[in-house]
Amino acid sequence: MTLKQRTMVLGGLVVMGAVIYGIALHQSPILVSFVVRQTLVQKAPSGVAAQEVERRLDAHLQSFPDSHARLERLLEISQYLEKVQKLDSRELDELLSGARTTSREGVQ
């Protein structure tokens, strides 16, 4: 294989890597949103319908001015959801009402 062919192969790999990185960068907010949505539905208090949780989450996220702020809020919700097994009604209300800090006894 000549130097020119090796350079073309290496260039092709760099371009493919850049394309894959760009796709991943573009799709990551969608993935975060999906995971948070599913986790929130799973950890919602019993008696609360999944559609209601999704509707409230959508309404909450629409209150943010741009996609970066929405992603930041989704990450905050995600961090809180990692720490709890099941949400009670008060916690769900706090998460979806815009309260930045949600506390729970025993959760640090």
Side-chain angles (χ1 to χ4, degrees), residues 7 32 38 41 51 59:
T7 304
V32 169
Q38 294 302 312
V41 167
Q51 294 82 8

Side-chain angles (χ1 to χ4, degrees), residues 2 5-6 8 11 16-17 34 40-41 43-44 46 49 51 66-67 71-74 87 90-91 96 103 105 108:
T2 67
Q5 290 173 328
R6 289 180 187 177
M8 289 182 65
M16 284 183 7
F34 176 79
L40 198 56
V41 167
K43 293 186 178 193
S46 56
Q51 294 82 8
D66 60 16
S67 61
L71 180 60
E72 288 296 319
R73 182 61 183 149
L74 284 169
L87 294 170
R90 180 189 55 79
E91 291 171 322
L96 299 180
S103 63
E105 292 178 26
Q108 312 224 344

Side-chain angles (χ1 to χ4, degrees), residues 43-103:
K43 293 186 178 193
S46 56
V48 178
Q51 294 82 8
E52 175 69 14
V53 173
E54 290 179 359
R55 183 191 61 76
R56 289 180 61 193
L57 178 62
D58 289 338
H60 175 62
L61 293 176
Q62 291 304 317
S63 68
F64 290 89
D66 60 16
S67 61
H68 181 70
R70 283 189 284 275
L71 180 60
E72 288 296 319
R73 182 61 183 149
L74 284 169
L75 292 173
E76 289 173 5
I77 292 171
S78 173
Q79 287 177 346
Y80 184 77
L81 290 174
E82 288 176 1
K83 300 174 185 175
V84 296
Q85 293 294 318
K86 192 80 170 168
L87 294 170
D88 60 28
S89 296
R90 180 189 55 79
E91 291 171 322
L92 183 64
D93 290 343
E94 287 178 7
L95 281 174
L96 299 180
S97 69
R100 293 287 189 194
T101 56
T102 305
S103 63

